[in-house]
Amino acid sequence: TTAISTTTSGLSSPTSTSSTSASPPPQSTSTATVTTSGVTETGLPSKSTTSGPTLSGSTPRSTTIVTEFSSPMTATASHTTLTRSTAFSATTTSGPSSAESAASLPSLSPSPMSVTTSGTTPTETFTTTSGTTSRNFTTITATTTTSETVSTGTTSTSGPTATSSAVTISGSDSWWLCNCTNAICIEDNIIQLVPIICKPPPKPACANGLSPVPVIDKDGCCWHWECDCYCTGWGDPHYMTFDGLYYSYQGNCTYVLVEEINKKVDNFGVYIDNYHCDTRDVVSCPRTIIVRHETQEVRIATVKPNTLQVEVTVNKQPVALPYKKFGVSIYESGINRVVEIPELKMNVTYNGLSFSIRMPYSLFGNNTHGQCGICNNNTADDCMLPNGNIAENCETMADHWQVVDPSKPQCSPGLNPTKAPSTTPAQPCKESSICQLLLGSVFEPCHSFVRPEKYYSACVFDSCVLPNLDLECSSLQVYAATCADQSVCIDWRSHTDGVCSYKCPSGKEYKACGPIKETTCKSSQQNETSSKYVEGCFCPNGTMLYDDGVDVCVKTCGCVGVDMIPREIGENFTVDCQDCVCLEGGNGIVCEPHVCAKQNKTSCDGEGFYEVNEVNSEDSCCPIVTCKCNKSLCTTKAPKCALGFEVQSHIPSDQCCPWYQCVPKRVCVHQNAEILPNSPVFVDKCQNCFCTNEVNVSTQLNIISCEHIPCNTYCKPGYELQPVKGECCGRCVQTKCVIHTANNSDLILSPGEFKNDPYNNCTIYSCSNIHNQLISSTSEITCPAFNEKSCKPGTIAFLPNGCCKTCAPLDSPTPCSVRERKDFIVYKGCRSVDRVVMTECEGTCGTFSLYSAEANSMEHSCSCCRESKTTVRKAELKCPNGHSVSHKYIYVESCSCQDTECSSSSQSSESQSTEESDKAITLNRIKRAISFTSK
């Protein structure tokens, strides 16, 4: 091996600066000739191929290599012994290091040789859309000699280095070496090595207010800044377009959030299904987020309005998370459900209250339209209509992105635009205190990264228009999530006095800024396209999630089976009647069928018995065969017992079917009813009966005891106790007249009986029964004028009535005249209020009876004292019912003797009618009693 020393002098190159020029400046190179010997071909894993015949001897070969330097340097070339390929390795060494130093090339260890290079290495400057990259290069000519001997060498460096990997020259124009070095075949075995020097590009300002993200260049060496396409929506609902334009829209149909203008991805789009979330149908809220990609349609739908409960379906079929198929990945990230398409480096999140869409600018810049606008870092064209025109405002634009949804027949693209409700209520609205948190100290750490004003406006809108739905929480939630995306953690829910609290299930705890993909026993890698932090429920400290699809927190990563119980490595357990063991490696759990112990065979003889498998308390997987009794299998039926008796069954200890007999129930029976002891029994209304505890020996039923209800048997004088039909007790019925005399004594008179007042013979009391009504009468005898002086001494005597005085004996008969008396008038049960003056004819007329020989019979001559003149008078009668009636009666004005027929006594008695009323008989008796004269 021959080493050649080369000295480099006077090489200088100014560090390039950023430029907006698309064309690089002119380039110049200086070459250095390097001679090497003893190089043998070998295969390397770089982008190279071997061409030409295999070298087996020492064949001299000359190759020119152009390498790039960024500052004055000394180059030491080294070589290595290779097999089956020709390779060259060079190490450059420059002066003092800087932040913009060239990338290092890998060092080799062959026998060293010195290379002397002179000239100046210029700079190539070019500009990308968002960053600057510098390239410096130098041409080196070297002569190589191949041999079969393998040797090693050393390399010495000072300062920053740019090292290229060994590569096989295959006749192509250029190729990449390791560590971002480009090898270019110029001509005549001259190779130009161009190491790429990356300078940090200036950080641009994004129109949406978010921080730009670094993106690796296509060559994989340098990077540049890009503003991601980030669209959000929340509340009722409020939108923030890709470029940060804020607006509210209240449509309740299905709309395009984002689609490609120039279709590059098959069947790609994101859509939103809104619905009216208040009773007035004024404002709307998101209900479903729809993501379409090629053959799949993912729907994340809200289960309960205004909550964080959602369900996921793919092509209308429910799926379990995590889900990954045909380039679409769906998983949980804190409170969110995330739909990720790794091929497109984009994701869509939704949690029931808010959504976000993140897409890379490099793939979707200037190629999106819909309610999220155009992603081009310019808000001026965000309200673009489907026809390419720009609407006056985004509320009008949003209506035009309506799509046909069969589930909403009332919606049709092209209808009149939806008007947003006024944020100024009829009465002044006091914004929720929760909205003030956005502008206060709680969110202050994020204000310099994301401005809160738009989120504050949305919060005030929600609190005024829908004050009872707590929708203002969604504005704080979206703002906190945007802050977390900018690496600012805000723990805000604890400051809302429970209004926006979030409750985690048992075994989980809430974290305001947890990992987007929780660390699991299976994998701890995180999604590169998601936010840096996310709020949600996570495993407590000291534990970790077992797996994405197994929501169990474990302290050690053992096994988790279908029973969702953590197991330690080496732990034996039984699940689903399989004996399992937790092993490290493989699937973790290895199971085999559970083996049951042998049991003695049980025979179930006898009526009603059958075999049944029972759970074994000692081994639930091995049931125990036992005999069970099923009475429905018994043939003996229970007898029907008489009233007052019941069926009593008895099952012997070794049998299943019962024995039946009728036994007394110890009750009374009356009229097909059973009565409990000491309970009343109705036999009839005149008896008080009850069921006793005494038992009739013959009937074996309890005896009913009765006693007649107590009755009052005393009646006042003139009344008698008489039975009443339908009544239990008799009633006191008046059978005699009770007359109160003037001296306050009572006279009891039977009907038809009359009696003088014991103290006044001129007053006569009588009792009559007229139409079953007892009528008492009081008669006063009026005596004719009497002059005691006209009587001879000692001849004054009482008439037979015992009331009137007269001279006895009478000298002459009393003439026929009118006599007055006062008495009560009774008519049809009604009676005069006072005594009424009535008149009658009384006196003696000429009457005789003598024998006639000629007629041979008695001759009679009769004359009667009768009325000769009468008048009709009226009297007021009082009836028992309280009514008054006017009654007419005859008043005698004068009397005279008038002839009448004479009748024998027998004829007279026969002519008397049997139908004569009781009243007439009574009056006649009274008249006879008070007659004035009696011979």
Side-chain angles (χ1 to χ4, degrees):
T1 303
T2 303
I4 303 174
S5 177
T6 306
T7 303
T8 303
S9 64
L11 299 178
S12 64
S13 174
T15 303
S16 63
T17 59
S18 300
S19 171
T20 58
S21 173
S23 301
Q27 302 174 2
S28 63
T29 61
S30 61
T31 59
T33 302
V34 182
T35 303
T36 61
S37 60
V39 179
T40 307
E41 291 182 334
T42 184
L44 294 177
S46 59
K47 295 181 180 179
S48 60
T49 57
T50 303
S51 62
T54 302
L55 301 179
S56 58
S58 298
T59 305
R61 185 175 180 179
S62 177
T63 304
T64 300
I65 300 177
V66 180
T67 184
E68 175 185 337
F69 303 101
S70 62
S71 61
M73 63 180 182
T74 300
T76 301
S78 61
H79 72 280
T80 182
T81 303
L82 307 172
T83 305
R84 296 190 60 192
S85 66
T86 301
F88 177 82
S89 177
T91 302
T92 64
T93 305
S94 66
S97 61
S98 65
E100 294 82 28
S101 60
S104 298
L105 299 174
S107 300
L108 304 177
S109 300
S111 300
M113 65 178 178
S114 298
V115 180
T116 301
T117 306
S118 64
T120 302
T121 304
T123 301
E124 176 194 1
T125 302
F126 66 97
T127 304
T128 64
T129 55
S130 56
T132 302
T133 304
S134 299
R135 298 172 184 263
N136 300 324
F137 60 87
T138 299
T139 302
I140 298 176
T141 304
T143 301
T144 61
T145 303
T146 59
S147 67
E148 295 181 354
T149 306
V150 176
S151 62
T152 61
T154 59
T155 303
S156 61
T157 62
S158 63
T161 64
T163 306
S164 63
S165 300
V167 65
T168 300
I169 301 173
S170 58
S172 61
D173 293 334
S174 65
W175 62 95
W176 282 99
L177 305 181
C178 294
N179 291 337
C180 296
T181 301
N182 191 17
I184 303 174
C185 178
I186 299 177
E187 60 181 351
D188 298 331
N189 291 329
I190 298 176
I191 300 173
Q192 179 181 347
L193 300 182
V194 185
I196 297 178
I197 302 171
C198 299
K199 282 192 60 177
K203 193 172 184 178
C206 296
N208 57 18
L210 305 180
S211 298
V213 295
V215 179
I216 302 297
D217 292 341
K218 292 182 179 181
D219 57 15
C221 295
C222 296
W223 58 274
H224 60 278
W225 294 107
E226 286 185 1
C227 294
D228 265 353
C229 307
Y230 187 71
C231 176
T232 59
W234 70 94
D236 54 352
H238 312 287
Y239 292 86
M240 198 84 75
T241 66
F242 287 132
D243 296 332
L245 182 63
Y246 168 77
Y247 70 94
S248 297
Y249 177 65
Q250 311 304 330
N252 68 326
C253 298
T254 304
Y255 306 91
V256 176
L257 286 177
V258 58
E259 284 183 346
E260 289 184 301
I261 299 176
N262 299 317
K263 308 298 183 182
K264 298 179 181 179
V265 182
D266 184 29
N267 190 31
F268 172 76
V270 183
Y271 310 87
I272 186 170
D273 172 16
N274 289 340
Y275 75 105
H276 283 312
C277 52
D278 73 324
T279 56
R280 300 167 298 167
D281 290 346
V282 175
V283 295
S284 59
C285 299
R287 175 166 54 191
T288 305
I289 292 294
I290 306 166
V291 181
R292 291 177 180 169
H293 178 250
E294 296 181 348
T295 62
Q296 299 187 93
E297 180 182 274
V298 180
R299 286 178 175 259
I300 309 177
T302 303
V303 175
K304 186 178 180 182
N306 302 323
T307 64
L308 297 177
Q309 302 177 21
V310 298
E311 63 180 3
V312 181
T313 61
V314 176
N315 294 339
K316 299 182 180 180
Q317 297 297 322
V319 296
L321 302 186
Y323 170 91
K324 190 172 184 180
K325 189 175 182 181
F326 299 147
V328 174
S329 176
I330 312 172
Y331 56 90
E332 295 184 20
S333 180
I335 64 174
N336 301 315
R337 302 298 185 272
V338 182
V339 180
E340 187 175 24
I341 305 176
E343 178 188 0
L344 305 179
K345 299 179 183 180
M346 63 88 65
N347 62 41
V348 178
T349 67
Y350 183 58
N351 54 37
L353 294 179
S354 63
F355 71 86
S356 67
I357 304 172
R358 180 180 291 276
M359 307 168 72
Y361 180 86
S362 58
L363 296 180
F364 293 94
N366 288 297
N367 194 33
T368 64
H369 59 182
Q371 289 185 341
C372 283
I374 299 179
C375 179
N376 60 0
N377 214 30
N378 180 14
T379 59
D381 55 4
D382 279 0
C383 301
M384 190 177 75
L385 302 175
N387 60 10
N389 296 331
I390 306 300
E392 180 181 356
N393 55 65
C394 285
E395 287 80 1
T396 302
M397 170 273 291
D399 265 310
H400 289 78
W401 289 105
Q402 186 180 148
V403 298
V404 177
D405 188 345
S407 65
K408 293 186 173 183
Q410 76 279 8
C411 297
S412 177
L415 293 180
N416 293 331
T418 303
K419 293 184 179 180
S422 174
T423 56
T424 304
Q427 298 180 353
C429 170
K430 183 179 179 181
E431 67 208 45
S432 172
S433 59
I434 294 177
C435 299
Q436 291 291 339
L437 295 176
L438 289 166
L439 305 178
S441 59
V442 176
F443 285 93
E444 186 176 3
C446 186
H447 290 173
S448 60
F449 295 89
V450 182
R451 298 305 302 165
E453 286 77 9
K454 297 175 182 177
Y455 302 92
Y456 174 77
S457 299
C459 183
V460 173
F461 178 91
D462 292 344
S463 65
C464 289
V465 178
L466 296 174
N468 299 321
L469 293 183
D470 297 333
L471 277 181
E472 54 266 32
C473 296
S474 62
S475 295
L476 277 71
Q477 174 188 307
V478 171
Y479 184 62
T482 307
C483 294
D485 183 64
Q486 301 299 306
S487 302
V488 180
C489 177
I490 304 293
D491 188 359
W492 60 278
R493 291 189 184 270
S494 58
H495 298 274
T496 61
D497 295 329
V499 176
C500 303
S501 61
Y502 188 77
K503 186 177 181 181
C504 291
S506 176
K508 294 290 188 74
E509 63 182 21
Y510 173 79
K511 292 182 181 179
C513 292
I516 58 171
K517 277 197 174 180
E518 194 170 1
T519 301
T520 69
C521 292
K522 302 297 182 181
S523 173
S524 61
Q525 296 180 355
Q526 295 189 354
N527 192 328
E528 296 179 356
T529 61
S530 297
S531 303
K532 295 181 180 179
Y533 302 106
V534 67
E535 68 169 331
C537 298
F538 300 92
C539 290
N541 293 334
T543 64
M544 70 168 57
L545 193 65
Y546 181 76
D547 197 3
D548 290 335
V550 183
D551 192 15
V552 177
C553 297
V554 296
K555 293 182 179 180
T556 59
C557 291
C559 306
V560 175
V562 293
D563 55 358
M564 307 299 286
I565 300 176
R567 308 287 182 178
E568 299 287 341
I569 298 295
E571 180 180 351
N572 292 283
F573 58 96
T574 300
V575 61
D576 289 343
C577 295
Q578 288 193 328
D579 294 330
C580 304
V581 60
C582 176
L583 300 177
E584 189 172 5
N587 293 328
I589 298 177
V590 177
C591 300
E592 60 183 14
H594 182 71
V595 179
C596 297
K598 188 176 181 180
Q599 298 182 14
N600 295 327
K601 187 175 181 180
T602 303
S603 177
C604 299
D605 296 330
E607 186 182 13
F609 285 111
Y610 68 100
E611 292 185 359
V612 65
N613 293 329
E614 285 190 342
V615 176
N616 188 349
S617 58
E618 298 179 356
D619 188 349
S620 60
C621 296
C622 300
I624 301 175
V625 179
T626 60
C627 294
K628 285 290 183 179
C629 173
N630 185 356
K631 293 182 181 179
S632 63
L633 302 177
C634 299
T635 57
T636 304
K637 303 298 181 182
K640 185 176 181 180
C641 298
L643 208 61
F645 293 83
E646 62 182 350
V647 176
Q648 187 180 69
S649 61
H650 169 67
I651 302 176
S653 58
D654 58 344
Q655 295 186 13
C656 170
C657 298
W659 295 90
Y660 299 104
Q661 61 178 346
C662 293
V663 296
K665 298 171 68 174
R666 301 304 179 193
V667 296
C668 298
V669 175
H670 178 69
Q671 293 183 348
N672 295 325
E674 295 179 348
I675 299 97
L676 296 175
N678 301 319
S679 299
V681 181
F682 180 79
V683 176
D684 60 59
K685 65 180 182 179
C686 298
Q687 297 186 81
N688 288 331
C689 303
F690 68 98
C691 180
T692 67
N693 288 305
E694 298 180 14
V695 178
N696 187 317
V697 178
S698 61
T699 62
Q700 295 186 327
L701 298 175
N702 289 26
I703 298 174
I704 298 176
S705 175
C706 299
E707 59 180 11
H708 201 280
I709 63 174
C711 295
N712 183 17
T713 58
Y714 170 77
C715 292
K716 296 186 298 183
Y719 289 80
E720 292 181 0
L721 186 66
Q722 294 181 358
V724 180
K725 185 177 181 181
E727 299 291 336
C728 298
C729 298
R731 187 188 308 167
C732 290
V733 179
Q734 186 176 1
T735 57
K736 296 181 181 180
C737 294
V738 179
I739 301 174
H740 298 281
T741 62
N743 61 351
N744 293 327
S745 63
D746 291 336
L747 288 178
I748 307 300
L749 300 180
S750 298
E753 183 182 2
F754 61 90
K755 184 179 292 185
N756 291 72
D757 191 306
Y759 303 99
N760 183 5
N761 283 336
C762 293
T763 301
I764 300 175
Y765 302 102
S766 64
C767 178
S768 302
N769 188 341
I770 301 175
H771 301 299
N772 292 326
Q773 185 172 1
L774 294 176
I775 304 298
S776 60
S777 299
T778 303
S779 301
E780 298 288 342
I781 299 175
T782 302
C783 296
F786 175 69
N787 188 0
E788 292 184 359
K789 294 180 179 181
S790 63
C791 295
K792 295 179 180 180
T795 61
I796 298 174
F798 284 98
L799 291 174
N801 57 25
C803 173
C804 299
K805 293 180 180 180
T806 187
C807 296
L810 296 175
D811 294 336
S812 61
T814 302
C816 177
S817 62
V818 176
R819 185 175 67 87
E820 291 185 354
R821 65 182 179 90
K822 292 184 177 180
D823 201 356
F824 293 99
I825 296 178
V826 177
Y827 181 75
K828 292 185 178 181
C830 301
R831 179 176 175 173
S832 61
V833 179
D834 299 317
R835 294 179 185 272
V836 178
V837 176
M838 293 182 291
T839 57
E840 56 188 20
C841 294
E842 189 173 30
T844 303
C845 292
T847 298
F848 65 89
S849 176
L850 55 87
Y851 176 76
S852 172
E854 184 176 351
N856 193 24
S857 64
M858 294 293 296
E859 288 186 2
H860 305 281
S861 175
C862 296
S863 178
C864 180
C865 182
R866 297 179 63 176
E867 69 277 4
S868 57
K869 183 180 180 181
T870 61
T871 59
V872 177
R873 293 189 177 185
K874 295 181 179 180
E876 184 180 1
L877 305 185
K878 196 78 172 181
C879 299
N881 58 8
H883 294 161
S884 298
V885 297
S886 179
H887 177 68
K888 294 179 181 180
Y889 69 96
I890 298 174
Y891 184 83
V892 179
E893 297 286 348
S894 61
C895 299
S896 61
C897 291
Q898 300 178 19
D899 292 337
T900 185
E901 288 187 11
C902 295
S903 302
S904 62
S905 59
S906 60
Q907 290 174 343
S908 176
S909 60
E910 288 175 2
S911 65
Q912 209 169 19
S913 174
T914 57
E915 297 179 358
E916 190 174 15
S917 64
D918 293 339
K919 181 178 179 180
I921 296 174
T922 303
L923 291 176
N924 288 337
R925 289 177 180 175
I926 294 174
K927 288 181 179 180
R928 288 195 302 271
I930 62 176
S931 60
F932 280 94
T933 58
S934 175
K935 289 297 184 98

